[in-house]
Amino acid sequence: MRRIQSKLNTASQDYRDYRDHNLNLVRDFRERQERARSDRPQRDIDRLRNQNKMLPRERLDLLLDPGTPFLEFSSLGANMAYDGAAPSANCITGIGVVSGREVVIVAHDSSNKGGAWFPLTVKKMVRALDIALENRLNVIHLCDSAGGFLPMQSEVFGDKYMSGRIFRNQVQLSKMGCKQLALVFGHCTAGGAYVPGLCEYSVIVNGTGAVFLGGPPLVKAATGEDVTVDELGGAAMHTSVSGTCDYYAASEREAVAIGREIVQQWELPPKYPLQRDTPEDPYYDPYELYGVIPNDIKKQFDMREVIARLVDGSRFSEYQPDYGETLVCGMANIWGYKVGIIGNNGVLFNDSTLKAAHFMTLCNQNNIPLVFLQNITGYMVGKEYEQKGITKDGAKMLMVQGSVDVPKFTIMTNGSFGAGNYGMCGRAWDARTLFSWPNSQIAVMGSDQAANTLTTIKVNQLKRQGEQPTPEQLEHIRQEVLEDYTNTTSAYATSSEIWDDGIIDPVDTRNALAMSISVSLNAPFAGTNYGVLRL
Protein backbone atom coordinates (compact mmCIF):
# COMPACT_ATOMS: atom_id res chain seq x y z
CA MET A 1 0.00 0.00 0.00
CA ARG A 2 1.14 3.53 -0.71
CA ARG A 3 2.02 5.92 2.07
CA ILE A 4 -0.26 8.92 2.50
CA GLN A 5 1.53 12.12 1.48
CA SER A 6 0.77 14.44 4.36
CA LYS A 7 0.21 18.10 3.53
CA LEU A 8 0.22 19.17 7.17
CA ASN A 9 2.48 22.18 7.77
CA THR A 10 3.75 21.71 11.31
CA ALA A 11 5.43 25.13 11.19
CA SER A 12 2.20 27.02 10.46
CA GLN A 13 0.38 29.23 12.92
CA ASP A 14 -2.81 27.21 12.43
CA TYR A 15 -0.98 24.05 13.43
CA ARG A 16 0.39 25.69 16.58
CA ASP A 17 -3.00 27.16 17.48
CA TYR A 18 -4.78 23.85 16.95
CA ARG A 19 -2.12 21.96 18.89
CA ASP A 20 -2.30 24.31 21.88
CA HIS A 21 -6.11 24.18 21.86
CA ASN A 22 -6.26 20.39 21.77
CA LEU A 23 -3.50 19.93 24.32
CA ASN A 24 -5.55 22.09 26.69
CA LEU A 25 -8.61 19.93 26.00
CA VAL A 26 -6.65 16.75 26.67
CA ARG A 27 -5.15 18.23 29.84
CA ASP A 28 -8.65 19.07 31.10
CA PHE A 29 -9.85 15.58 30.16
CA ARG A 30 -6.98 13.92 32.04
CA GLU A 31 -7.69 16.00 35.14
CA ARG A 32 -11.39 15.15 35.07
CA GLN A 33 -10.63 11.49 34.51
CA GLU A 34 -8.17 11.37 37.41
CA ARG A 35 -10.69 13.03 39.76
CA ALA A 36 -13.39 10.55 38.71
CA ARG A 37 -11.04 7.63 39.28
CA SER A 38 -9.37 8.70 42.51
CA ASP A 39 -11.07 11.52 44.42
CA ARG A 40 -13.00 9.95 47.30
CA PRO A 41 -13.89 11.20 50.78
CA GLN A 42 -11.20 10.17 53.24
CA ARG A 43 -13.84 8.62 55.50
CA ASP A 44 -14.76 6.15 52.75
CA ILE A 45 -11.14 5.22 52.17
CA ASP A 46 -10.63 4.79 55.92
CA ARG A 47 -13.77 2.64 56.13
CA LEU A 48 -12.43 0.23 53.49
CA ARG A 49 -8.98 0.12 55.10
CA ASN A 50 -10.53 -0.66 58.49
CA GLN A 51 -12.35 -3.59 56.86
CA ASN A 52 -9.06 -4.86 55.38
CA LYS A 53 -10.39 -4.09 51.92
CA MET A 54 -8.47 -2.83 48.92
CA LEU A 55 -9.67 0.05 46.78
CA PRO A 56 -11.32 -1.15 43.55
CA ARG A 57 -8.43 -0.11 41.30
CA GLU A 58 -5.96 -1.85 43.60
CA ARG A 59 -7.94 -5.05 43.12
CA LEU A 60 -7.89 -4.45 39.37
CA ASP A 61 -4.12 -3.95 39.30
CA LEU A 62 -3.64 -7.20 41.22
CA LEU A 63 -5.98 -9.14 38.90
CA LEU A 64 -4.55 -8.05 35.53
CA ASP A 65 -1.46 -9.63 34.02
CA PRO A 66 1.55 -7.38 34.72
CA GLY A 67 2.48 -5.06 31.87
CA THR A 68 -0.74 -5.64 29.91
CA PRO A 69 -3.13 -2.84 28.86
CA PHE A 70 -6.60 -2.24 30.29
CA LEU A 71 -9.13 -0.74 27.87
CA GLU A 72 -11.42 1.11 30.29
CA PHE A 73 -14.97 1.99 29.30
CA SER A 74 -16.82 5.20 30.23
CA SER A 75 -14.34 6.49 32.81
CA LEU A 76 -16.42 9.71 32.88
CA GLY A 77 -19.81 8.00 33.02
CA ALA A 78 -22.25 10.09 35.11
CA ASN A 79 -19.74 12.95 35.28
CA MET A 80 -22.58 15.46 34.72
CA ALA A 81 -25.29 13.57 36.59
CA TYR A 82 -26.49 13.28 40.20
CA ASP A 83 -24.58 16.45 41.23
CA GLY A 84 -21.36 14.44 41.01
CA ALA A 85 -22.54 11.79 43.51
CA ALA A 86 -21.52 8.83 41.32
CA PRO A 87 -18.02 9.35 39.82
CA SER A 88 -17.35 6.96 36.94
CA ALA A 89 -20.96 5.85 37.46
CA ASN A 90 -19.86 4.02 40.63
CA CYS A 91 -18.23 1.13 38.78
CA ILE A 92 -15.22 0.26 36.65
CA THR A 93 -15.66 -1.66 33.40
CA GLY A 94 -13.30 -2.58 30.60
CA ILE A 95 -11.33 -5.25 28.78
CA GLY A 96 -8.11 -6.63 30.21
CA VAL A 97 -5.84 -9.67 30.11
CA VAL A 98 -5.99 -12.14 33.02
CA SER A 99 -3.87 -15.31 32.96
CA GLY A 100 -3.34 -14.73 29.25
CA ARG A 101 -7.07 -14.50 28.46
CA GLU A 102 -8.93 -11.43 27.19
CA VAL A 103 -11.85 -10.78 29.55
CA VAL A 104 -14.45 -8.16 30.29
CA ILE A 105 -14.19 -6.89 33.86
CA VAL A 106 -17.07 -5.37 35.84
CA ALA A 107 -15.89 -3.98 39.19
CA HIS A 108 -18.17 -2.35 41.75
CA ASP A 109 -16.68 0.78 43.33
CA SER A 110 -17.41 0.52 47.05
CA SER A 111 -15.24 3.58 47.76
CA ASN A 112 -18.30 5.73 47.00
CA LYS A 113 -21.70 5.21 48.64
CA GLY A 114 -20.91 1.57 49.22
CA GLY A 115 -20.88 0.90 45.47
CA ALA A 116 -24.62 1.57 45.16
CA TRP A 117 -26.11 1.17 41.69
CA PHE A 118 -27.39 4.45 40.24
CA PRO A 119 -29.35 4.34 36.96
CA LEU A 120 -26.19 5.10 34.97
CA THR A 121 -24.29 2.45 36.95
CA VAL A 122 -26.76 -0.11 35.66
CA LYS A 123 -26.49 1.27 32.11
CA LYS A 124 -22.70 1.06 32.24
CA MET A 125 -22.75 -2.52 33.55
CA VAL A 126 -25.30 -3.62 30.96
CA ARG A 127 -23.17 -2.07 28.21
CA ALA A 128 -20.08 -3.96 29.43
CA LEU A 129 -21.98 -7.25 29.31
CA ASP A 130 -23.34 -6.36 25.86
CA ILE A 131 -19.73 -5.99 24.72
CA ALA A 132 -18.97 -9.41 26.20
CA LEU A 133 -21.94 -10.89 24.32
CA GLU A 134 -21.02 -9.27 20.99
CA ASN A 135 -17.42 -10.41 21.21
CA ARG A 136 -17.98 -13.72 23.04
CA LEU A 137 -15.73 -12.75 25.91
CA ASN A 138 -15.48 -14.30 29.36
CA VAL A 139 -16.34 -12.01 32.27
CA ILE A 140 -14.93 -11.39 35.73
CA HIS A 141 -17.18 -9.64 38.26
CA LEU A 142 -15.53 -7.90 41.23
CA CYS A 143 -18.48 -7.79 43.62
CA ASP A 144 -18.76 -5.25 46.43
CA SER A 145 -21.98 -3.26 46.24
CA ALA A 146 -24.74 -1.94 48.45
CA GLY A 147 -27.21 -2.78 45.66
CA GLY A 148 -29.68 -0.44 43.98
CA PHE A 149 -29.64 3.22 45.07
CA LEU A 150 -33.06 3.20 46.73
CA PRO A 151 -33.90 6.92 46.33
CA MET A 152 -33.81 6.27 42.55
CA GLN A 153 -35.18 2.72 42.56
CA SER A 154 -37.83 3.52 39.95
CA GLU A 155 -35.02 4.28 37.47
CA VAL A 156 -33.02 1.18 38.39
CA PHE A 157 -35.60 -1.57 38.55
CA GLY A 158 -38.37 -2.75 36.28
CA ASP A 159 -37.76 -1.80 32.66
CA LYS A 160 -36.08 -3.83 29.94
CA TYR A 161 -32.65 -2.22 30.13
CA MET A 162 -32.56 -1.69 33.88
CA SER A 163 -30.95 -3.95 36.48
CA GLY A 164 -32.73 -7.10 35.34
CA ARG A 165 -30.84 -6.85 32.05
CA ILE A 166 -27.57 -7.47 33.91
CA PHE A 167 -28.75 -10.90 34.98
CA ARG A 168 -30.39 -11.63 31.63
CA ASN A 169 -27.07 -10.91 29.93
CA GLN A 170 -25.29 -13.21 32.36
CA VAL A 171 -27.66 -16.02 31.39
CA GLN A 172 -27.09 -15.37 27.69
CA LEU A 173 -23.31 -15.38 28.18
CA SER A 174 -23.46 -18.77 29.88
CA LYS A 175 -25.73 -20.07 27.13
CA MET A 176 -23.08 -19.00 24.56
CA GLY A 177 -20.34 -20.80 26.46
CA CYS A 178 -18.73 -17.63 27.84
CA LYS A 179 -17.43 -18.32 31.32
CA GLN A 180 -17.98 -15.97 34.27
CA LEU A 181 -16.14 -15.64 37.56
CA ALA A 182 -17.35 -13.71 40.62
CA LEU A 183 -14.85 -12.51 43.21
CA VAL A 184 -17.04 -11.59 46.18
CA PHE A 185 -15.18 -8.96 48.21
CA GLY A 186 -18.23 -7.39 49.85
CA HIS A 187 -21.97 -7.74 50.11
CA CYS A 188 -24.11 -9.01 47.21
CA THR A 189 -27.63 -8.24 48.38
CA ALA A 190 -31.10 -8.73 46.85
CA GLY A 191 -30.80 -8.79 43.03
CA GLY A 192 -27.05 -8.38 43.40
CA ALA A 193 -26.92 -11.88 44.90
CA TYR A 194 -27.65 -13.24 41.44
CA VAL A 195 -24.38 -11.88 40.03
CA PRO A 196 -22.32 -14.63 41.75
CA GLY A 197 -25.32 -16.96 41.62
CA LEU A 198 -25.30 -16.87 37.82
CA CYS A 199 -21.53 -17.22 37.47
CA GLU A 200 -19.92 -20.56 36.67
CA TYR A 201 -17.22 -19.89 39.29
CA SER A 202 -17.20 -17.87 42.51
CA VAL A 203 -14.70 -16.99 45.23
CA ILE A 204 -15.82 -15.35 48.47
CA VAL A 205 -13.68 -13.52 51.04
CA ASN A 206 -14.16 -14.46 54.68
CA GLY A 207 -15.30 -11.69 57.00
CA THR A 208 -16.30 -9.18 54.32
CA GLY A 209 -17.87 -11.17 51.49
CA ALA A 210 -21.55 -12.04 51.78
CA VAL A 211 -24.31 -13.22 49.45
CA PHE A 212 -27.99 -13.09 50.41
CA LEU A 213 -31.36 -12.09 48.99
CA GLY A 214 -32.13 -10.15 52.15
CA GLY A 215 -29.71 -8.93 54.78
CA PRO A 216 -30.15 -9.37 58.54
CA PRO A 217 -32.35 -6.25 59.02
CA LEU A 218 -34.73 -7.35 56.22
CA VAL A 219 -34.85 -10.92 57.54
CA LYS A 220 -35.67 -9.58 61.02
CA ALA A 221 -38.43 -7.35 59.65
CA ALA A 222 -39.88 -10.05 57.38
CA THR A 223 -39.62 -13.15 59.58
CA GLY A 224 -38.61 -12.01 63.06
CA GLU A 225 -35.47 -14.13 62.83
CA ASP A 226 -32.23 -12.84 64.38
CA VAL A 227 -29.25 -13.84 62.29
CA THR A 228 -25.71 -12.57 61.68
CA VAL A 229 -24.22 -11.69 58.31
CA ASP A 230 -21.87 -14.68 58.43
CA GLU A 231 -24.67 -17.09 59.36
CA LEU A 232 -26.90 -15.72 56.62
CA GLY A 233 -24.46 -15.40 53.74
CA GLY A 234 -20.83 -15.53 54.81
CA ALA A 235 -17.90 -17.35 53.23
CA ALA A 236 -17.86 -20.38 55.52
CA MET A 237 -21.60 -21.00 55.18
CA HIS A 238 -21.76 -20.62 51.40
CA THR A 239 -18.67 -22.75 50.68
CA SER A 240 -19.46 -25.56 53.15
CA VAL A 241 -23.25 -25.57 53.63
CA SER A 242 -25.23 -23.98 50.77
CA GLY A 243 -22.72 -24.52 47.96
CA THR A 244 -23.65 -21.09 46.55
CA CYS A 245 -19.96 -20.18 46.33
CA ASP A 246 -17.09 -22.43 45.30
CA TYR A 247 -13.92 -21.17 46.96
CA TYR A 248 -13.21 -19.73 50.43
CA ALA A 249 -10.54 -17.03 50.63
CA ALA A 250 -9.02 -15.72 53.83
CA SER A 251 -8.14 -12.37 52.24
CA GLU A 252 -8.73 -10.32 49.12
CA ARG A 253 -5.26 -11.12 47.84
CA GLU A 254 -5.95 -14.83 48.20
CA ALA A 255 -9.29 -14.38 46.40
CA VAL A 256 -7.54 -12.71 43.44
CA ALA A 257 -4.88 -15.43 43.36
CA ILE A 258 -7.56 -18.15 43.32
CA GLY A 259 -9.41 -16.25 40.61
CA ARG A 260 -6.32 -16.02 38.40
CA GLU A 261 -5.78 -19.75 38.88
CA ILE A 262 -9.37 -20.46 37.80
CA VAL A 263 -9.03 -18.33 34.67
CA GLN A 264 -5.81 -20.13 33.79
CA GLN A 265 -7.82 -23.33 33.38
CA TRP A 266 -10.19 -21.80 30.81
CA GLU A 267 -9.75 -22.92 27.24
CA LEU A 268 -8.25 -20.55 24.72
CA PRO A 269 -10.80 -20.45 21.90
CA PRO A 270 -9.46 -20.03 18.37
CA LYS A 271 -9.73 -16.51 17.00
CA TYR A 272 -11.17 -15.59 13.63
CA PRO A 273 -8.25 -15.65 11.13
CA LEU A 274 -8.44 -11.99 10.09
CA GLN A 275 -5.84 -10.87 7.56
CA ARG A 276 -2.85 -9.63 9.54
CA ASP A 277 0.61 -8.33 8.68
CA THR A 278 3.58 -7.46 10.85
CA PRO A 279 2.65 -4.36 12.89
CA GLU A 280 4.38 -1.12 11.96
CA ASP A 281 4.31 2.28 13.67
CA PRO A 282 2.73 5.13 11.70
CA TYR A 283 5.25 7.00 9.56
CA TYR A 284 3.81 10.30 10.80
CA ASP A 285 3.87 11.09 14.51
CA PRO A 286 0.45 10.44 16.18
CA TYR A 287 1.10 13.46 18.43
CA GLU A 288 0.63 15.62 15.34
CA LEU A 289 -3.08 14.81 15.61
CA TYR A 290 -3.29 17.70 18.07
CA GLY A 291 -2.35 20.04 15.23
CA VAL A 292 -4.69 18.42 12.69
CA ILE A 293 -8.00 18.91 14.53
CA PRO A 294 -9.15 22.55 14.36
CA ASN A 295 -9.96 24.76 17.34
CA ASP A 296 -13.45 25.40 15.94
CA ILE A 297 -15.84 22.56 15.17
CA LYS A 298 -17.06 24.39 12.06
CA LYS A 299 -13.60 24.35 10.46
CA GLN A 300 -12.94 21.52 8.01
CA PHE A 301 -9.87 19.28 7.94
CA ASP A 302 -8.69 16.43 5.73
CA MET A 303 -9.46 13.06 7.33
CA ARG A 304 -6.48 11.58 5.46
CA GLU A 305 -4.24 13.50 7.86
CA VAL A 306 -5.92 11.66 10.76
CA ILE A 307 -5.67 8.29 9.02
CA ALA A 308 -1.97 8.90 8.32
CA ARG A 309 -1.33 9.10 12.09
CA LEU A 310 -3.39 6.05 13.04
CA VAL A 311 -2.47 3.30 10.58
CA ASP A 312 0.59 1.12 10.12
CA GLY A 313 3.32 2.85 8.14
CA SER A 314 0.77 5.60 7.32
CA ARG A 315 -0.09 3.36 4.35
CA PHE A 316 -3.57 3.58 2.89
CA SER A 317 -5.10 1.96 -0.20
CA GLU A 318 -7.77 4.52 -1.03
CA TYR A 319 -10.97 3.40 -2.78
CA GLN A 320 -12.47 5.63 -5.52
CA PRO A 321 -10.31 8.64 -4.58
CA ASP A 322 -11.79 10.79 -7.37
CA TYR A 323 -15.46 9.98 -6.73
CA GLY A 324 -17.65 11.15 -3.86
CA GLU A 325 -14.80 13.24 -2.53
CA THR A 326 -16.55 14.28 0.69
CA LEU A 327 -16.02 10.74 1.97
CA VAL A 328 -12.66 8.95 2.26
CA CYS A 329 -12.68 5.14 2.01
CA GLY A 330 -9.87 2.65 1.85
CA MET A 331 -7.93 -0.27 3.30
CA ALA A 332 -5.18 -0.04 5.91
CA ASN A 333 -3.66 -1.95 8.81
CA ILE A 334 -3.87 -1.07 12.51
CA TRP A 335 -1.33 -2.97 14.61
CA GLY A 336 -1.20 -5.40 11.71
CA TYR A 337 -4.97 -5.98 11.53
CA LYS A 338 -6.56 -5.37 8.12
CA VAL A 339 -9.39 -2.81 8.32
CA GLY A 340 -11.60 -0.80 6.01
CA ILE A 341 -11.74 2.88 6.97
CA ILE A 342 -14.57 5.30 6.22
CA GLY A 343 -13.96 8.94 7.17
CA ASN A 344 -15.86 12.15 6.53
CA ASN A 345 -14.40 15.00 4.50
CA GLY A 346 -17.57 17.05 4.41
CA VAL A 347 -21.33 16.65 4.04
CA LEU A 348 -22.65 13.40 2.56
CA PHE A 349 -23.84 13.95 -1.03
CA ASN A 350 -25.48 11.33 -3.24
CA ASP A 351 -22.18 10.16 -4.71
CA SER A 352 -20.31 9.91 -1.39
CA THR A 353 -23.27 8.07 0.13
CA LEU A 354 -23.30 5.47 -2.66
CA LYS A 355 -19.51 5.20 -2.48
CA ALA A 356 -19.78 4.33 1.23
CA ALA A 357 -22.47 1.73 0.62
CA HIS A 358 -20.49 -0.01 -2.12
CA PHE A 359 -17.24 0.07 -0.14
CA MET A 360 -18.93 -1.52 2.88
CA THR A 361 -20.20 -4.41 0.74
CA LEU A 362 -16.65 -5.01 -0.48
CA CYS A 363 -15.32 -5.10 3.08
CA ASN A 364 -18.11 -7.44 4.10
CA GLN A 365 -17.36 -9.75 1.16
CA ASN A 366 -13.68 -9.86 2.16
CA ASN A 367 -14.40 -10.21 5.92
CA ILE A 368 -12.59 -6.96 6.75
CA PRO A 369 -13.73 -5.02 9.85
CA LEU A 370 -14.87 -1.42 9.40
CA VAL A 371 -13.58 1.67 11.20
CA PHE A 372 -15.72 4.82 11.01
CA LEU A 373 -14.05 8.20 11.64
CA GLN A 374 -16.90 10.62 12.22
CA ASN A 375 -16.81 14.33 11.39
CA ILE A 376 -20.19 14.76 9.79
CA THR A 377 -22.72 17.58 9.48
CA GLY A 378 -25.25 15.19 7.94
CA TYR A 379 -26.68 14.33 4.54
CA MET A 380 -27.10 17.21 2.08
CA VAL A 381 -30.52 18.87 2.15
CA GLY A 382 -32.37 20.99 -0.41
CA LYS A 383 -34.59 20.72 -3.46
CA GLU A 384 -31.82 19.69 -5.88
CA TYR A 385 -30.61 16.83 -3.67
CA GLU A 386 -34.05 15.56 -2.78
CA GLN A 387 -34.82 15.37 -6.49
CA LYS A 388 -31.61 13.40 -6.95
CA GLY A 389 -32.81 10.99 -4.27
CA ILE A 390 -30.61 11.83 -1.28
CA THR A 391 -33.12 10.21 1.10
CA LYS A 392 -33.18 7.07 -1.02
CA ASP A 393 -29.40 6.96 -1.35
CA GLY A 394 -28.94 7.63 2.35
CA ALA A 395 -31.29 4.75 3.08
CA LYS A 396 -29.06 2.50 0.94
CA MET A 397 -26.07 3.47 3.05
CA LEU A 398 -28.01 2.76 6.24
CA MET A 399 -29.30 -0.56 4.91
CA VAL A 400 -25.81 -1.79 4.02
CA GLN A 401 -24.17 -0.44 7.17
CA GLY A 402 -26.79 -2.06 9.39
CA SER A 403 -26.57 -5.38 7.52
CA VAL A 404 -22.84 -6.05 7.31
CA ASP A 405 -21.60 -9.03 9.33
CA VAL A 406 -18.08 -7.76 10.04
CA PRO A 407 -17.26 -5.96 13.29
CA LYS A 408 -17.61 -2.16 13.25
CA PHE A 409 -15.73 0.42 15.33
CA THR A 410 -16.42 4.15 15.57
CA ILE A 411 -14.35 7.17 16.61
CA MET A 412 -16.02 10.56 17.13
CA THR A 413 -13.19 12.79 15.91
CA ASN A 414 -15.11 16.09 15.77
CA GLY A 415 -18.77 16.74 14.89
CA SER A 416 -21.56 14.19 14.61
CA PHE A 417 -24.82 15.77 13.54
CA GLY A 418 -28.17 14.64 12.22
CA ALA A 419 -28.70 11.46 10.25
CA GLY A 420 -24.99 11.48 9.40
CA ASN A 421 -24.50 10.05 12.88
CA TYR A 422 -26.59 7.06 11.80
CA GLY A 423 -24.93 6.46 8.45
CA MET A 424 -21.48 6.65 10.04
CA CYS A 425 -22.31 3.99 12.65
CA GLY A 426 -23.40 6.06 15.63
CA ARG A 427 -24.39 4.58 18.97
CA ALA A 428 -27.63 2.98 17.76
CA TRP A 429 -25.86 1.05 14.99
CA ASP A 430 -23.97 -1.59 16.97
CA ALA A 431 -20.35 -0.53 16.80
CA ARG A 432 -18.37 -3.04 18.88
CA THR A 433 -16.74 -0.01 20.54
CA LEU A 434 -17.36 3.71 20.10
CA PHE A 435 -14.96 6.28 21.55
CA SER A 436 -15.03 10.09 21.56
CA TRP A 437 -12.26 12.65 21.38
CA PRO A 438 -12.49 15.50 23.93
CA ASN A 439 -13.39 18.06 21.24
CA SER A 440 -16.28 16.06 19.76
CA GLN A 441 -19.94 17.04 19.77
CA ILE A 442 -23.14 15.11 19.03
CA ALA A 443 -26.53 16.65 18.26
CA VAL A 444 -29.51 16.56 15.91
CA MET A 445 -28.02 19.60 14.18
CA GLY A 446 -25.20 22.08 14.69
CA SER A 447 -25.53 24.79 17.31
CA ASP A 448 -25.85 27.64 14.79
CA GLN A 449 -28.55 25.85 12.81
CA ALA A 450 -30.41 24.96 16.00
CA ALA A 451 -30.16 28.53 17.31
CA ASN A 452 -31.48 29.95 14.03
CA THR A 453 -34.29 27.38 13.82
CA LEU A 454 -35.47 27.75 17.41
CA THR A 455 -35.16 31.53 17.30
CA THR A 456 -37.38 31.61 14.21
CA ILE A 457 -39.95 29.39 15.93
CA LYS A 458 -39.94 31.61 19.03
CA VAL A 459 -40.30 34.77 16.94
CA ASN A 460 -43.31 33.30 15.12
CA GLN A 461 -44.88 32.38 18.45
CA LEU A 462 -44.45 35.92 19.75
CA LYS A 463 -45.87 37.41 16.55
CA ARG A 464 -48.96 35.24 16.83
CA GLN A 465 -49.43 36.70 20.30
CA GLY A 466 -49.21 40.20 18.86
CA GLU A 467 -45.66 40.91 20.06
CA GLN A 468 -42.79 42.18 17.96
CA PRO A 469 -39.50 41.02 19.51
CA THR A 470 -36.66 43.52 19.67
CA PRO A 471 -33.16 42.72 18.38
CA GLU A 472 -32.04 42.42 22.02
CA GLN A 473 -34.77 39.83 22.71
CA LEU A 474 -33.78 37.87 19.60
CA GLU A 475 -30.13 37.80 20.65
CA HIS A 476 -31.14 36.70 24.17
CA ILE A 477 -33.16 33.80 22.74
CA ARG A 478 -30.29 32.82 20.48
CA GLN A 479 -27.73 32.86 23.30
CA GLU A 480 -29.99 30.70 25.49
CA VAL A 481 -30.13 28.07 22.74
CA LEU A 482 -26.36 28.20 22.19
CA GLU A 483 -25.67 27.83 25.91
CA ASP A 484 -28.00 24.84 26.14
CA TYR A 485 -26.25 23.24 23.15
CA THR A 486 -22.86 23.79 24.75
CA ASN A 487 -24.05 22.01 27.88
CA THR A 488 -25.74 19.07 26.18
CA THR A 489 -23.72 18.28 23.06
CA SER A 490 -20.16 18.18 24.41
CA ALA A 491 -18.18 14.98 24.73
CA TYR A 492 -18.53 15.25 28.51
CA ALA A 493 -22.33 15.42 28.30
CA THR A 494 -22.64 12.51 25.90
CA SER A 495 -20.06 10.39 27.76
CA SER A 496 -21.83 11.14 31.04
CA GLU A 497 -24.95 9.50 29.61
CA ILE A 498 -22.84 6.59 28.27
CA TRP A 499 -23.67 7.38 24.65
CA ASP A 500 -20.10 6.27 23.93
CA ASP A 501 -17.64 3.84 25.49
CA GLY A 502 -15.56 6.67 26.83
CA ILE A 503 -13.55 9.75 25.95
CA ILE A 504 -9.99 9.01 24.89
CA ASP A 505 -6.89 11.04 24.12
CA PRO A 506 -6.55 11.14 20.30
CA VAL A 507 -3.04 9.66 20.50
CA ASP A 508 -4.49 6.59 22.26
CA THR A 509 -6.90 5.90 19.39
CA ARG A 510 -4.65 3.46 17.56
CA ASN A 511 -4.21 1.28 20.67
CA ALA A 512 -7.91 1.44 21.59
CA LEU A 513 -8.85 0.29 18.09
CA ALA A 514 -6.25 -2.49 18.11
CA MET A 515 -7.56 -3.89 21.40
CA SER A 516 -11.14 -3.61 20.16
CA ILE A 517 -10.30 -5.44 16.93
CA SER A 518 -8.38 -8.13 18.79
CA VAL A 519 -11.25 -9.01 21.13
CA SER A 520 -13.77 -8.91 18.28
CA LEU A 521 -11.99 -11.91 16.73
CA ASN A 522 -13.22 -14.12 19.59
CA ALA A 523 -16.61 -14.15 17.85
CA PRO A 524 -16.97 -15.76 14.41
CA PHE A 525 -17.95 -13.60 11.45
CA ALA A 526 -21.35 -14.67 10.14
CA GLY A 527 -20.37 -14.25 6.50
CA THR A 528 -22.20 -12.35 3.78
CA ASN A 529 -25.45 -13.71 2.45
CA TYR A 530 -25.93 -11.31 -0.45
CA GLY A 531 -23.99 -10.43 -3.54
CA VAL A 532 -22.27 -7.12 -4.22
CA LEU A 533 -24.33 -4.72 -6.32
CA ARG A 534 -22.61 -1.64 -7.74
CA LEU A 535 -24.74 1.26 -6.54
Side-chain angles (χ1 to χ4, degrees), residues 45 64 103 129 157 253 273 317 341 346 390 474:
I45 296 174
L64 295 169
V103 296
L129 295 179
F157 181 82
R253 286 185 174 273
S317 178
I341 296 176
I390 187 64
L474 292 177

Side-chain angles (χ1 to χ4, degrees), residues 74 206 262 331 370 497:
S74 301
N206 184 49
I262 291 168
M331 305 293 185
L370 287 162
E497 294 298 314

Side-chain angles (χ1 to χ4, degrees), residues 5 42 115-116 120 128 155 185 189 206 234 294 382 386 412 417 446 511:
Q5 297 303 305
Q42 188 61 44
L120 286 170
E155 299 175 55
F185 298 112
T189 308
N206 184 49
E386 291 295 351
M412 300 294 185
F417 299 111
N511 289 341

Side-chain angles (χ1 to χ4, degrees), residues 100-264:
R101 279 78 173 164
E102 293 170 328
V103 296
V104 166
I105 297 172
V106 178
H108 304 150
D109 186 355
S110 58
S111 67
N112 183 68
K113 295 190 181 298
W117 295 358
F118 285 72
L120 286 170
T121 312
V122 171
K123 186 175 183 179
K124 183 173 174 177
M125 292 166 65
V126 169
R127 172 59 183 157
L129 295 179
D130 280 342
I131 289 172
L133 284 167
E134 292 166 349
N135 297 287
R136 297 202 179 181
L137 291 172
N138 302 322
V139 181
I140 300 176
H141 304 263
L142 307 186
C143 304
D144 189 2
S145 171
F149 186 60
L150 290 180
M152 305 186 77
Q153 67 84 26
S154 64
E155 299 175 55
V156 172
F157 181 82
D159 205 356
K160 182 175 181 179
Y161 291 102
M162 293 182 180
S163 55
R165 195 72 175 184
I166 295 170
F167 316 124
R168 176 266 181 193
N169 280 1
Q170 285 190 262
V171 170
Q172 294 302 311
L173 283 163
S174 187
K175 178 180 175 182
M176 292 170 61
C178 297
K179 291 160 281 291
Q180 296 174 82
L181 163 66
L183 301 180
V184 182
F185 298 112
H187 286 192
C188 297
T189 308
Y194 289 108
V195 173
L198 291 167
C199 287
E200 285 82 357
Y201 308 84
S202 59
V203 183
I204 183 168
V205 179
N206 184 49
T208 56
V211 178
F212 33 55
L213 295 180
L218 179 59
V219 170
K220 175 67 174 177
T223 69
E225 180 183 12
D226 289 308
V227 63
T228 67
V229 168
D230 285 341
E231 292 171 332
L232 190 62
M237 191 281 289
H238 274 317
T239 56
S240 65
V241 178
S242 74
T244 298
C245 296
D246 303 319
Y247 298 90
Y248 173 104
S251 68
E252 293 197 358
R253 286 185 174 273
E254 184 181 8
V256 173
I258 294 171
R260 287 182 51 82
E261 185 178 316
I262 291 168
V263 175
Q264 195 171 27

Side-chain angles (χ1 to χ4, degrees), residues 43 46 78 92 130 148 200 231 267 313 329 391 468 470 488 495:
R43 66 178 182 276
D46 292 342
I92 304 165
D130 280 342
E200 285 82 357
E231 292 171 332
E267 65 178 342
C329 300
T391 300
Q468 183 62 44
T470 64
T488 59
S495 204

